[in-house]
Amino acid sequence: MNIEEIPSGDPASPARTWDATGADLVPAVAAAAEVLKSGGLVAFPTETVYGLGALGLRPDCVAKVFVAKGRPATNPVILHGPSAEALRPLAACWPEIAEILAARFWPGPLTLVVDAAPVVPSIVTAGGSTVALRVPAHPVARALLDAVGEPLAAPSANRSESLSPTTAAHVLKSLAGRIDGVLDGGPTTAGLESTVVDVTGPLPRILRPGPLGFAALREVLGQIDLPFAEPPAGEPARSPGQRSRHYAPATPLHLVPRDRFADELAQQTSAGRRVGVLVFSSEDGSSAAANRVLPDDPEEFGARLYGALHDLDDAALDLILVIEPPAGEAWRAVRDRLRRAAQPAA
Ligand code: TXA
Ligand code: MG
């Protein structure tokens, strides 16, 4: 099977789905690996979100990822490998802190930004001097990386600026006709994109909060500061390497403080809008046209957030209201994603 037979981006050539949910994922992974090795685009599950994979050291293959996603060339992509040893040659230097973090948290939801070795194509780094590296923990991702035997570039498998996918169905909703196939490994478990840590400077810097929380990082980094500035409530998040609008459903989304939530819902509904709500289990959202109730625990909330937003986005609503999550470090990644989702379109 080669790329001519399965052109990317041809709506007449629907993406195939390989079922890797059963005990025997080997044939599904082998078929997907063949498509990747012949230059195709295959979405695959990681423990965070589904990634859109392509051979990461082949600029022509990585270029197809940018086209399929509609991603601006200024936004670099992450290279994924089966182990730290496999990824190490992609780094021009490997600081001690990278070694420590990799040893402790890989495989897992951590991406490390290091100085790039010359072998890394400039399309991967968006022309910059650094490269982002990750070893995912998901068994399907690991089997696929082993089968391909080369690093895979894999941004989240969604059109640029839209919600990340946590199921194969989410991937197809966004990218069917633009990719060659998707490996279906069922819903992802961590549910939010990996924590991105830049280790090129004197102090590690968190570029994107994620499932690997600050408390766990601090355990390893000791008293080392983690200078990640969170904007004041109500303001959109900003972080290097990220566009300001990201992770957004198509339906307008408003974040509403808990004490104003009931009033806001009543007001919007009486103005004739079809309103969907995302609330904590302690709240009552049953008067809304559609509602999703998520647990009051930051990890579980994060794991199910995108699924709930995809559902609400599919419910033909005029507006989605989401209760502002609590303050505090444990909720940082969830707040970051919701603030990006809530930002009005530029
Ligand atoms: O969990 C994840 O990280 C998923 C799965 C598939 O691994 N991938 C993912 O990729 O979220 P993407 O492309 O959607 O997000 C990667 C983030 C972007 O914000 C990008 O700007 C940043 O990482 N990034 C990539 N390379 C970088 C670099 N060299 N320096 C700074 N930021 C970088
Ligand atoms: Mg993304």
Side-chain angles (χ1 to χ4, degrees):
M1 166 181 329
N2 62 40
I3 189 66
E4 280 76 39
E5 286 167 351
I6 315 170
S8 300
D10 178 358
S13 166
R16 56 193 62 188
T17 301
W18 295 280
D19 183 359
T21 53
D24 190 11
L25 51 81
V26 175
V29 165
E34 281 314 305
V35 174
L36 285 165
K37 285 197 271 189
S38 48
L41 299 185
V42 173
F44 62 94
T46 80
E47 72 277 30
T48 58
V49 299
Y50 276 69
L52 179 56
L55 294 181
L57 301 183
R58 283 262 306 271
D60 55 327
C61 300
V62 180
K64 287 189 210 170
V65 171
F66 280 80
V67 172
K69 281 181 60 82
R71 184 178 179 103
T74 48
N75 196 359
V77 293
I78 301 172
L79 293 181
H80 297 68
S83 65
E85 295 69 44
L87 290 176
R88 174 69 187 81
L90 307 177
C93 68
W94 191 247
E96 196 191 347
I97 197 71
E99 186 59 35
I100 292 168
L101 290 172
R104 174 71 180 77
F105 297 116
W106 280 351
L110 169 70
T111 294
L112 292 176
V113 172
V114 295
D115 287 318
V119 67
V120 177
S122 66
I123 188 169
V124 166
T125 64
S129 60
T130 61
V131 63
L133 305 174
R134 169 156 123 82
V135 178
H138 195 289
V140 174
R142 294 176 64 71
L144 184 68
L145 289 162
D146 280 336
V148 172
E150 286 184 53
L152 290 177
S156 54
N158 52 276
R159 292 280 286 166
S160 188
E161 302 193 353
S162 60
L163 278 180
S164 288
T166 55
T167 66
H170 295 161
V171 173
L172 292 172
K173 193 169 74 168
S174 194
L175 293 175
R178 297 178 165 272
I179 63 175
D180 297 305
V182 55
L183 262 172
D184 185 352
T188 66
T189 50
L192 296 181
E193 302 83 351
S194 61
T195 306
V196 180
V197 182
D198 181 337
V199 291
T200 60
L203 289 179
R205 287 207 322 149
I206 296 192
L207 302 185
R208 178 172 72 182
L212 178 61
F214 292 179
L217 283 168
R218 208 175 276 117
E219 252 175 49
V220 170
L221 300 174
Q223 289 311 302
I224 297 173
D225 197 13
L226 297 170
F228 176 80
E230 186 178 36
E235 274 181 37
R238 290 194 197 292
S239 72
Q242 294 202 275
R243 285 159 62 89
S244 51
R245 181 172 167 85
H246 229 95
Y247 317 109
T251 314
L253 183 154
H254 293 176
L255 264 180
V256 184
R258 201 174 279 246
D259 56 346
R260 292 218 326 262
F261 194 79
D263 284 352
E264 182 70 14
L265 174 57
Q267 206 176 334
Q268 295 286 356
T269 304
S270 64
R273 299 198 178 90
R274 246 179 83 76
V275 183
V277 298
L278 180 59
V279 296
F280 294 96
S281 42
S282 46
E283 265 94 25
D284 180 20
S286 57
S287 66
N291 72 81
R292 282 290 174 277
V293 181
L294 293 188
D296 225 321
D297 167 85
E299 276 175 31
E300 285 183 46
F301 190 103
R304 288 166 52 188
L305 173 62
Y306 288 149
L309 290 180
H310 274 285
D311 288 349
L312 291 171
D313 210 15
D314 293 342
L317 300 164
D318 299 314
L319 180 65
I320 300 170
L321 296 180
V322 183
I323 289 198
E324 180 99 51
E329 209 168 83
W331 288 91
R332 201 111 171 213
V334 164
R335 281 200 308 274
D336 171 76
R337 301 309 190 277
L338 280 173
R339 283 180 185 179
R340 290 174 195 283
Q343 189 185 343

